[in-house]
Amino acid sequence: MAREGEDPGMAKASKVKRQRKKKPKENKTRTVHANILYDNAKGEENPNRNYANNKIKTTKYTVLSFLPKNLFEQFHRFANVYFVFIALLNFVPVVNAFQPELALAPVVFILSVTAIKDLWEDYRRHRSDQEINHMDCLVYSRAERRYVERYWKEVRVGDFIRLRCNEILPADVLLLSSSDPDRLCHIETATLDGETNLKQRQVVRSFFDLDCDFDPLKYNGIIECEKPNNDLNRFRGYIIHQSGRRDALYKENLLLRGCTIRNTEEAVGIVIYAGHETKAMLNNNGPRYKRSKLERQMNVHVFWCVIILLVMCLFAAVGHGLWMFQYGDKRPVFDVLSPEGTDLSPIMSAIYLFLTMIIVFQVLIPISLFVSIEIVKICQVYFIHQDMDLYDEETDSHLQCRALNITEDLGQMQYIFSDKTGTLTENKMVFRRCTVAGVEYSHDANARRLAMYQEMDSEEEDCTSHSGTLPRRDSVTSHQSARVVLRSQSTKSHRRTGSRAEAKRASILSKHTAFSSPMEKDITPDPQLLDKVNECSSQMDFMRFHSQPMSQLPSDLADIIDFFIALTICNTVVVSSPNQPRQKVKLTSTKSIQSNLLRVNKGSSSSSLITNRSSNRGCSSLLSSPSAESTLTKLDEEQPPRGLEHSFGPVPPCYNGKAWNLEDGELRYEAESPDEAALVYAARAYKCSLVGRLPDQVTVELPHLGKLSFELLHTLGFDSTRKRMSVVVRHPLTDQITVYTKGSGTTCANSLKIFILVSFIKIVSRTQNYLNLYAADGLRTLCIAKKILSKEQYACWLQHHLQAETAIQGREELLFDSALRLETNLQLLGATGIEDRLQDGVPETIASLRMAGLQIWVLTGDKQETAVNIAYACKLLHYIQAKFLCSSTDQAAKAFHSNFAPFEIYPSSSPSSSSHTTPFTVLRLGLVIDGRTLAYALDKSLEDKFLAVARSCRSVLCCRSTPLQKSMVVKLVRNKLKVMTLAIGDGANDVSMIQVADVGVGISGQEGMQAVMASDFALPRFRYLQKLLLVHGHWCYSRLANMILYFFYKNAVTLIFWYQFYCGFSGSAMIDQWYLIFFNLMFSAFPQLITGTLDKDVSAETLQQLPQLYVNGQNSEEYKPYMFWMNMIDAFYQSLVCFFIPYFAYADSDVDLFTWGTPITTLALFTILVHLGIETKTWTWMNWLSIAFSTALFFTVALCYNASCPTCYTPSNPYWTMQRLLQDPLFYLLCVITPVAALLPRYTVVNLCLTEYKGGGKLDFEKWGGHFPPVPSGNYTLD
């Protein structure tokens, strides 16, 4: 209300201004109210009215908008605009050459074909949308006071939804209630990111203490959260209760659309984002569209065709002007007056004729080329998909082509940039060996077990190929089979929301637990270490019986038990039973339930460290850990000292005295990364088993000691910068606050401090030596360490961490610094070596690709020794290495300059100035460079020298490189050397590299689908890259290159041009306009489509046996500029022959114009078809059928047209022309002589080239094979 005495208009204006000022601030967040409060309100009163509904519409058109919108999109192509302009120009009487309606036919046909294709694709999207929108879900209705079934499309932001087990989420939902006693909800994200392991989501903290089912009518909160975005791993906001209390919201509280509820009977949530504002839909970008290298070259030649067209029109216009000028004042009888009835001057006649000739010579520009290329590429993609050699039985996945218009680029690759883990290797992490307290345990029996599994795998593959069934990774019980059916059915019902291929693959993968094959989990323990574990357990059992303090345990045995405890609890593994959902045993007493929930409510909140998934290869998603605020409160509470009886109690309070029944089946571990699963299975082999995980405690079962519950105080998740993970727990045996840390050797070594005792120094030194040995054997290494904190130290750190959590500015940096403060002064316990086996066929694939002339670079985040060992195993490194390593950043620039001399044998000042095709000698050297040195090598002042060194080496291996460095290396090579690049990877950290390359390939492996979703092509295995490039890439490039050249040739056979010399350059034609219009569009179109789709210049077997043939595409041998001009010259020659032989044959005869012009058209068709036959390498029945069909179509149309249309083209009369020609022997003679004379030069040249190829081919193969001259040996190292 305005103040007294104030003008109401001014008050209204000031109110509007205040609203405008507030508007930018309001746009930063989203406010969500419960819809049940506004059921009876008008639409304008509902605060959620402006948010998107849940109806999905991925179609581009509606019934009304299809025609204008589709035409608008097609007119974005300059060629379509050009042809429409030509057709409209034909409606101008003074310049028209054909009947206006007939001239529109080619353009209308091309636009119609494209429109029908777009309409069919859009109809398929519409059907998929309808299926998704009409799926059912339970939404709370205030009127009926219960949950009612509604379609997905009827769901709105602010609705309460009840979710059941194995049900798919219809929208992004904030979790408010769960039937799980720990207030957790388990979801599977296989259809979203391809990961089959379960993930935990947590009820909002303020709803933990509910002692009954959630009642939506009692909900009175208001949610403030961030605007819709596509970040799957971030969600921030808070919920405001009626009392004014605020509770923070995190990504652990949000259930994303497309995920599936698992192992949770019921859950209730409120919709936050719906429809196209959900994170899944915002991440759905669809197929990627790029312009291929061949298409860019083709566009240049289309431009040259336009230039040739203008030159011919100008020549004809000048000729017509001179023809008219020679008559002077006497007008010729054939002169056409102007529209006003006056005579036209020669200049104006020439100008009008110029426009007329543009219409007549429009066939020079291939109007159907672009749509033909699209059709051929779609057919090529179809045949690639049908190749069973690119099908993987284990995952039931085919090759996926996500970019439909760069298939020919696969045949022109010059550099391949590959990730290592999961791309070259299986990403099946198997515990191989370890060192504890400076003592190494080699696990020889485990090594023999792995060797036996390798033999069994090959035998299983043979058996599977005969039986035709999919191999199972693990044996399952009958109840597991039922669970498999439920999961596969759920995935099947959801496959409509995404790619069908991805959904099918997710269905197969969901039949077993991720990272749980027998090879991965059945670890054979080392006898010596197992004896020590049993000795330690027996001593601890003895100490428990005699109530002795833990400090009396020998340090070496204490390190062993701490080592396995760290392996067991320092992870995010979810525990489940194979025979039942992960459901805790409900306590019978209400008092016990209340106390347990109170304990959970005190200690549980969201994770304290949020990491970015895109930069993480390992376990990036954090389990919920108690917040700093709640933990401080618990620390301040007075806790009675624990006795040894309680510490050693075999039954934790939360398990209600019920021991684990092994008859129910072994425990199942749902891990987020194979590394975590390998370590947990290794600990289980030594009877140190993870048996339960709650938000605030982890339960471990130890030999002789039973179950021990570790109170989980904090979790610091793994990230790619720290390269380690830590958990803070209260040890049940000592009641001490203990930090357990696992991470890479380098980062953990930086956190270790040199202790005064010499024994600790020896342990660190021995462990480092073993780490080097493990890395040399190609094993992935992790260090295990611990740290004991006093209550005061932890409270001080926690106070600072709480400030970092609540900071607004620079929150991520403060949390990172806080984590580093905790992870210092660590005590080293030991280290592990995990084996990641090479994928089958990787060495052979790399050898073939290198023989094909491809330069292969491996960009990995692993340490140098591991990466080099894998590089040797896959035959990437054969010869001398040139290592560029530096321990300090200041040495990098000096090292580069001082050690560059051995490579100063090539001009390195401007590597971009020379093309890849320029002769460049490659030495027998392998370059190994680490990430720290690579950062300097990528500097502007050194990048040219780095490229000169790298280009002169046979292989390049970049280790310890970050995702950003990977993309920078690819971009540098692509832009500086002007080469075609391919990047292949399987993880989220490879996405940037995949997107930067000319062609990105994703491996649909163990690390989810992030790389696949960002890629142009997706492969199940690395070995399939060989056939994709060497066979399909070669074929696609060869077919399209020859088809484009044939198109230019076919359209350049301009017979009418020669007739202009005999008609005063008047634009007249001796060919019927029906033939002229439909000649290239119908009569000669089908055979070239068949050849462009099916032609094979070399068989698949030969291409794989002789990879050197791939160089043909790398050097663009099939499509060079001179070939375009040679085809244009040949077309002009053939047009001369096809014109003048009939001209002289019918000279001085009484035939009419069309009786002479129709044979010319027929001879041109025969010549073009025989020309295609000469260029065709592989003949199939479809080739013969297409040529016969084109010939039959032409004669059928001609006979029908000449018989039924005597006055279609007045004043000329085409009646019975073809019928008379078929009775003339001269016509048949011309049909034999003319094509032979026209094609004789081309046939001769082709045979000479084949003879030369057969004579010198063997030498060429040896040259292409990569046999380079020997170079002086040497080892270049920068230290």
Side-chain angles (χ1 to χ4, degrees):
M1 179 183 293
R3 292 190 301 268
E4 294 183 6
E6 185 178 1
D7 185 9
M10 293 180 62
K12 187 176 181 179
S14 62
K15 184 178 180 180
V16 172
K17 289 182 179 179
R18 287 196 299 269
Q19 289 178 349
R20 288 178 179 175
K21 290 181 180 178
K22 291 181 180 179
K23 189 174 182 180
K25 186 176 181 180
E26 291 174 357
N27 285 337
K28 294 181 181 178
T29 60
R30 158 174 289 199
T31 304
V32 179
H33 300 258
N35 280 337
I36 58 174
L37 302 176
Y38 302 93
D39 278 353
N40 299 324
K42 297 180 180 179
E44 297 179 356
E45 298 178 3
N46 191 329
N48 301 330
R49 65 185 181 276
N50 295 324
Y51 303 145
N53 58 29
N54 205 42
K55 184 178 181 180
I56 295 299
K57 181 180 178 294
T58 60
T59 57
K60 296 165 60 177
Y61 312 110
T62 63
V63 176
L64 297 177
S65 69
F66 170 72
L67 191 59
K69 192 172 182 179
N70 186 263
L71 288 176
F72 177 77
E73 290 179 351
Q74 292 199 56
F75 287 154
H76 275 75
R77 276 186 173 174
F78 176 76
N80 290 337
V81 177
Y82 166 78
F83 291 119
V84 170
F85 167 74
I86 296 298
L88 295 178
L89 192 63
N90 222 19
F91 281 85
V92 180
V94 73
V95 296
N96 70 335
F98 309 123
Q99 290 181 358
E101 299 81 6
L102 189 61
L104 276 174
V107 182
V108 172
F109 177 79
I110 296 299
L111 296 179
S112 299
V113 170
T114 307
I116 291 172
K117 178 180 71 72
D118 294 340
L119 182 63
W120 172 248
E121 292 177 354
D122 210 52
Y123 175 70
R124 292 178 62 188
R125 287 191 290 263
H126 171 72
R127 289 180 56 187
S128 178
D129 292 345
Q130 289 295 102
E131 292 178 2
I132 296 171
N133 290 330
H134 287 83
M135 294 175 71
D136 295 327
C137 64
L138 293 176
V139 180
Y140 189 81
S141 171
R142 183 170 185 173
E144 302 185 32
R145 293 182 176 272
R146 64 185 182 90
Y147 290 93
V148 297
E149 281 196 358
R150 288 185 183 172
Y151 290 137
W152 277 24
K153 67 178 182 179
E154 298 173 343
V155 174
R156 300 290 185 271
V157 172
D159 284 346
F160 290 100
I161 294 183
R162 172 177 286 175
L163 304 164
R164 294 158 293 186
C165 188
N166 297 322
E167 187 175 350
I168 301 166
L169 285 152
D172 290 352
V173 176
L174 187 70
L175 185 61
L176 300 179
S177 173
S178 173
S179 61
D180 190 284
D182 306 324
R183 297 300 183 258
L184 297 175
C185 180
H186 299 84
I187 61 173
E188 180 185 275
T189 61
T191 54
L192 194 64
D193 58 12
E195 296 185 358
T196 58
N197 53 289
L198 297 186
K199 297 179 176 62
Q200 288 183 348
R201 292 297 180 261
Q202 180 178 302
V203 170
V204 176
R205 183 182 174 189
S206 53
F207 294 89
F208 261 59
D209 54 353
L210 293 177
D211 55 356
C212 59
D213 291 339
F214 175 80
D215 186 2
L217 294 176
K218 295 181 181 179
Y219 176 85
N220 54 17
I222 299 175
I223 297 170
E224 289 277 347
C225 60
E226 59 190 6
K227 284 285 185 181
N229 58 74
N230 62 354
D231 191 345
L232 296 174
N233 300 287
R234 169 177 169 172
F235 176 71
R236 293 180 181 176
Y238 53 86
I239 182 170
I240 307 173
H241 299 279
Q242 195 171 18
S243 61
R245 173 189 168 192
R246 292 189 177 189
D247 284 312
L249 304 176
Y250 301 90
K251 69 173 183 178
E252 286 78 14
N253 308 128
L254 190 67
L255 307 178
L256 299 182
R257 175 190 174 102
C259 298
T260 306
I261 303 295
R262 300 291 189 203
N263 297 355
T264 307
E265 292 178 1
E266 263 188 12
V268 177
I270 185 172
V271 176
I272 302 297
Y273 307 119
H276 289 277
E277 292 181 343
T278 58
K279 293 181 179 292
M281 292 300 297
L282 291 174
N283 275 278
N284 185 14
N285 297 323
R288 304 180 64 204
Y289 292 94
K290 295 180 178 180
R291 279 204 316 164
S292 65
K293 179 181 179 181
L294 190 60
E295 187 177 348
R296 293 193 296 268
Q297 293 174 323
M298 180 191 72
N299 290 337
V300 174
H301 292 147
V302 171
F303 172 76
W304 278 113
C305 286
V306 175
I307 298 297
I308 295 172
L309 172 67
L310 295 177
V311 170
M312 293 173 63
C313 293
L314 183 62
F315 181 84
V318 172
H320 182 67
L322 294 176
W323 188 292
M324 296 294 295
F325 182 75
Q326 71 178 351
Y327 285 94
D329 295 335
K330 297 179 181 179
R331 308 305 300 173
V333 293
F334 55 81
D335 189 21
V336 180
L337 301 179
S338 67
E340 292 81 14
T342 59
D343 296 332
L344 290 173
S345 65
I347 295 178
M348 287 305 299
S349 297
I351 293 174
Y352 285 144
L353 186 87
F354 179 83
L355 298 176
T356 302
M357 297 308 293
I358 288 180
I359 300 173
V360 174
F361 291 155
Q362 63 176 311
V363 294
L364 193 64
I365 310 298
I367 183 173
S368 57
L369 173 60
F370 299 99
V371 69
S372 299
I373 288 176
E374 286 188 6
I375 294 173
V376 168
K377 287 183 178 181
I378 291 174
C379 295
Q380 288 178 348
V381 169
Y382 171 78
F383 285 113
I384 293 176
H385 283 177
Q386 296 303 309
D387 189 346
M388 295 306 296
D389 290 340
L390 303 180
Y391 167 74
D392 185 60
E393 288 190 73
E394 184 178 357
T395 58
D396 189 32
S397 55
H398 290 266
L399 174 140
Q400 298 178 42
C401 181
R402 301 173 59 85
L404 303 178
N405 53 345
I406 57 171
T407 53
E408 65 272 28
D409 277 348
L410 294 172
Q412 296 182 277
M413 290 297 108
Q414 295 163 311
Y415 278 75
I416 294 180
F417 299 90
S418 174
D419 178 41
K420 183 187 74 68
T421 305
T423 304
L424 301 178
T425 60
E426 288 279 4
N427 204 15
K428 290 182 179 179
M429 306 302 178
V430 182
F431 182 83
R432 181 64 182 78
R433 55 204 301 182
C434 68
T435 172
V436 185
V439 180
E440 205 268 340
Y441 303 96
S442 59
H443 290 73
D444 294 330
N446 195 45
R448 291 192 293 270
R449 178 188 70 90
L450 295 178
M452 184 177 63
Y453 266 112
Q454 293 179 1
E455 298 175 359
M456 291 174 59
D457 286 345
S458 59
E459 294 176 1
E460 287 177 1
E461 288 179 3
D462 296 337
C463 296
T464 304
S465 62
H466 292 296
S467 63
T469 58
L470 291 175
R472 290 185 179 272
R473 291 190 178 186
D474 196 5
S475 60
V476 293
T477 61
S478 59
H479 190 89
Q480 271 183 283
S481 302
R483 183 181 177 193
V484 166
V485 172
L486 288 174
R487 296 180 74 168
S488 61
Q489 288 176 348
S490 175
T491 308
K492 181 180 178 182
S493 66
H494 182 60
R495 67 182 180 184
R496 312 182 193 104
T497 61
S499 166
R500 291 181 180 269
E502 293 173 9
K504 187 175 182 182
R505 175 183 174 274
S507 174
I508 297 297
L509 289 181
S510 64
K511 293 181 181 179
H512 53 74
T513 307
F515 322 125
S516 63
S517 67
M519 182 186 68
E520 293 171 287
K521 68 179 185 179
D522 296 339
I523 308 298
T524 304
D526 185 270
Q528 183 182 358
L529 183 57
L530 184 61
D531 291 342
K532 289 189 177 181
V533 172
N534 291 328
E535 179 185 355
C536 177
S537 302
S538 62
Q539 288 197 26
M540 294 173 72
D541 189 30
F542 179 82
M543 293 168 63
R544 176 182 61 176
F545 183 77
H546 292 87
S547 301
Q548 295 179 2
M550 277 288 295
S551 58
Q552 295 184 5
L553 189 68
S555 60
D556 57 339
L557 295 182
D559 287 348
I560 289 176
I561 201 66
D562 276 330
F563 177 81
F564 284 106
I565 288 174
L567 295 186
T568 306
I569 69 174
C570 191
N571 51 62
T572 59
V573 173
V574 179
V575 186
S576 62
S577 166
N579 293 336
Q580 59 185 7
R582 185 191 176 275
Q583 192 76 10
K584 295 294 181 297
V585 181
K586 294 188 177 181
L587 306 179
T588 54
S589 119
T590 307
K591 183 177 180 181
S592 300
I593 293 177
Q594 291 178 347
S595 62
N596 208 17
L597 287 177
L598 179 62
R599 186 173 183 276
V600 173
N601 184 38
K602 284 183 179 181
S604 53
S605 177
S606 64
S607 73
S608 57
L609 208 74
I610 297 178
T611 58
N612 190 347
R613 177 67 181 249
S614 64
S615 61
N616 182 5
R617 293 197 60 89
C619 60
S620 57
S621 178
L622 301 184
L623 280 177
S624 302
S625 62
S627 68
E629 187 176 6
S630 62
T631 310
L632 273 176
T633 305
K634 290 164 66 177
L635 284 174
D636 291 337
E637 295 176 359
E638 199 65 38
Q639 296 184 357
R642 299 188 178 188
L644 285 174
E645 296 83 2
H646 183 270
S647 297
F648 282 95
V651 183
C654 63
Y655 278 82
N656 195 30
K658 182 177 179 180
W660 185 264
N661 187 6
L662 294 178
E663 294 181 359
D664 294 339
E666 65 178 8
L667 292 173
R668 171 175 290 172
Y669 296 134
E670 304 274 359
E672 292 193 4
S673 72
D675 302 76
E676 284 193 341
L679 295 180
V680 173
Y681 285 125
R684 191 185 68 173
Y686 289 91
K687 302 179 182 179
C688 300
S689 303
L690 175 66
V691 296
R693 182 182 295 277
L694 301 180
D696 63 342
Q697 77 175 20
V698 180
T699 303
V700 179
E701 185 172 15
L702 299 178
H704 302 289
L705 300 176
K707 296 184 177 68
L708 300 177
S709 294
F710 289 79
E711 183 180 359
L712 184 61
L713 302 177
H714 227 92
T715 300
L716 300 179
F718 180 91
D719 64 61
S720 59
T721 307
R722 288 170 38 248
K723 291 186 174 65
R724 53 179 171 258
M725 175 188 181
S726 298
V727 293
V728 185
V729 298
R730 190 186 299 277
H731 204 295
L733 302 180
T734 62
D735 201 35
Q736 294 175 328
I737 297 176
T738 308
V739 181
Y740 289 105
T741 302
K742 69 175 181 182
S744 66
T746 305
T747 55
C748 280
N750 295 334
S751 301
L752 299 175
K753 293 297 181 182
I754 301 300
F755 294 92
I756 298 176
L757 297 177
V758 179
S759 59
F760 287 113
I761 300 176
K762 290 183 178 180
I763 289 175
V764 173
S765 176
R766 290 174 182 172
T767 304
Q768 185 61 53
N769 291 334
Y770 290 132
L771 283 174
N772 296 336
L773 291 175
Y774 293 171
D777 289 340
L779 303 181
R780 295 167 62 89
T781 58
L782 284 175
C783 285
I784 311 298
K786 79 167 187 176
K787 176 182 179 180
I788 297 176
L789 297 176
S790 65
K791 180 179 177 181
E792 293 74 16
Q793 288 175 327
Y794 180 59
C796 178
W797 174 84
L798 207 56
Q799 186 67 42
H800 288 89
H801 196 75
L802 176 62
Q803 296 175 3
E805 278 187 329
T806 57
I808 299 177
Q809 301 280 342
R811 182 170 180 265
E812 283 75 14
E813 290 78 7
L814 292 174
L815 287 173
F816 177 78
D817 295 337
S818 176
L820 291 184
R821 283 195 297 272
L822 183 69
E823 297 167 335
T824 55
N825 297 322
L826 300 175
Q827 175 190 347
L828 183 64
L829 296 175
T832 61
I834 300 175
E835 181 179 0
D836 187 9
R837 293 196 307 169
L838 277 178
Q839 292 184 19
D840 293 337
V842 167
E844 294 79 8
T845 301
I846 289 180
S848 295
L849 294 176
R850 292 177 66 173
M851 290 180 66
L854 288 157
Q855 298 294 321
I856 302 177
W857 293 24
V858 174
L859 313 176
T860 179
D862 282 348
K863 63 188 303 183
Q864 177 212 345
E865 292 83 359
T866 304
V868 168
N869 188 275
I870 293 295
Y872 275 119
C874 65
K875 299 182 181 179
L876 184 68
L877 294 178
H878 288 284
Y879 312 113
I880 309 145
Q881 294 182 56
K883 300 180 184 178
F884 286 82
L885 309 168
C886 61
S887 56
S888 64
T889 56
D890 296 334
Q891 298 174 356
K894 297 178 181 178
F896 248 96
H897 286 291
S898 60
N899 290 271
F900 196 78
F903 298 93
E904 291 284 0
I905 53 179
Y906 309 110
S908 59
S909 57
S910 58
S912 60
S913 60
S914 59
S915 172
H916 179 80
T917 58
T918 305
F920 194 93
T921 305
V922 179
L923 305 179
R924 294 188 179 187
L925 294 175
L927 173 63
V928 181
I929 183 169
D930 68 346
R932 188 175 296 179
T933 313
L934 187 61
Y936 268 77
L938 295 175
D939 186 77
K940 291 291 184 183
S941 60
L942 292 173
E943 61 183 16
D944 289 341
K945 290 188 175 183
F946 167 65
L947 274 181
V949 175
R951 191 181 178 191
S952 63
C953 293
R954 189 72 169 125
S955 302
V956 177
L957 180 61
C958 301
C959 49
R960 290 297 187 195
S961 53
T962 64
L964 179 61
Q965 286 179 331
K966 291 183 179 182
S967 63
M968 291 175 64
V969 169
V970 176
K971 185 182 292 186
L972 177 67
V973 173
R974 188 195 67 188
N975 294 340
K976 286 281 186 178
L977 299 182
K978 307 298 181 185
V979 293
M980 296 293 289
T981 58
L982 181 147
I984 181 171
D986 73 315
N989 63 336
D990 303 316
V991 168
S992 57
M993 172 179 72
I994 287 173
Q995 292 177 335
V996 166
D998 294 295
V999 174
V1001 179
I1003 299 291
S1004 50
Q1006 304 264 343
E1007 292 195 30
M1009 301 292 286
Q1010 293 91 341
V1012 169
M1013 290 186 289
S1015 66
D1016 303 310
F1017 298 89
L1019 294 175
R1021 292 285 185 266
F1022 180 84
R1023 68 174 183 270
Y1024 298 145
L1025 186 66
Q1026 176 181 349
K1027 187 169 187 181
L1028 179 65
L1029 295 184
L1030 303 188
V1031 178
H1032 291 291
H1034 176 89
W1035 283 346
C1036 290
Y1037 167 72
S1038 177
R1039 291 164 178 169
L1040 280 171
N1042 285 283
M1043 191 186 80
I1044 292 172
L1045 289 174
Y1046 180 77
F1047 254 103
F1048 285 128
Y1049 147 79
K1050 179 171 66 73
N1051 286 63
V1053 182
T1054 51
L1055 303 168
I1056 303 176
F1057 178 74
W1058 309 115
Y1059 181 63
Q1060 302 307 307
F1061 289 92
Y1062 297 92
C1063 67
F1065 295 97
S1066 60
S1068 301
M1070 74 291 188
I1071 301 174
D1072 190 290
Q1073 59 180 347
W1074 284 81
Y1075 299 149
L1076 203 60
I1077 292 296
F1078 292 105
F1079 185 85
N1080 289 304
L1081 198 63
M1082 291 177 55
F1083 302 144
S1084 61
F1086 299 105
Q1088 62 195 7
L1089 293 179
I1090 299 298
T1091 302
T1093 304
L1094 301 178
D1095 196 29
K1096 300 176 182 179
D1097 58 342
V1098 186
S1099 66
E1101 294 76 13
T1102 304
L1103 287 171
Q1104 294 194 78
Q1105 293 172 3
L1106 296 173
Q1108 301 89 341
L1109 295 173
Y1110 187 79
V1111 179
N1112 195 40
Q1114 289 179 326
N1115 298 334
S1116 300
E1117 297 290 344
E1118 300 278 353
Y1119 194 94
K1120 287 186 175 294
Y1122 80 86
M1123 293 182 176
F1124 168 78
W1125 294 110
M1126 291 298 294
N1127 273 273
M1128 299 302 285
I1129 294 172
D1130 191 23
F1132 277 99
Y1133 164 75
Q1134 292 184 23
S1135 66
L1136 275 170
V1137 174
C1138 291
F1139 178 84
F1140 283 103
I1141 289 182
Y1143 174 78
F1144 289 116
Y1146 287 102
D1148 301 328
S1149 65
D1150 57 353
V1151 298
D1152 61 72
L1153 185 65
F1154 284 165
T1155 306
W1156 170 56
T1158 303
I1160 294 179
T1161 307
T1162 309
L1163 298 176
L1165 177 64
F1166 286 164
T1167 302
I1168 287 172
L1169 293 179
V1170 176
H1171 179 113
L1172 180 64
I1174 294 175
E1175 296 297 322
T1176 301
K1177 283 84 175 179
T1178 303
W1179 283 87
T1180 64
W1181 64 269
M1182 295 190 69
N1183 294 90
W1184 292 106
L1185 182 63
S1186 63
I1187 292 177
F1189 174 77
S1190 294
T1191 306
L1193 179 65
F1194 172 74
F1195 280 102
T1196 302
V1197 170
L1199 290 171
C1200 295
Y1201 168 63
N1202 292 158
S1204 60
C1205 196
T1207 59
C1208 290
Y1209 188 20
T1210 56
S1212 301
N1213 184 6
Y1215 183 73
W1216 220 249
T1217 301
M1218 183 58 73
Q1219 285 81 348
R1220 289 196 301 270
L1221 285 172
L1222 292 177
Q1223 299 173 5
D1224 186 4
L1226 181 60
F1227 173 74
Y1228 294 98
L1229 181 63
L1230 290 175
C1231 289
V1232 175
I1233 295 176
T1234 306
V1236 171
L1239 295 172
L1240 187 60
R1242 171 168 289 272
Y1243 182 77
T1244 304
V1245 171
V1246 169
N1247 276 277
L1248 288 175
C1249 292
L1250 286 175
T1251 304
E1252 182 181 356
Y1253 175 78
K1254 291 177 180 178
K1258 185 176 180 180
L1259 296 176
D1260 290 339
F1261 288 158
E1262 292 180 357
K1263 179 183 70 176
W1264 291 337
H1267 298 283
F1268 301 101
V1271 296
S1273 60
N1275 190 21
Y1276 303 99
T1277 307
L1278 301 186
D1279 297 320

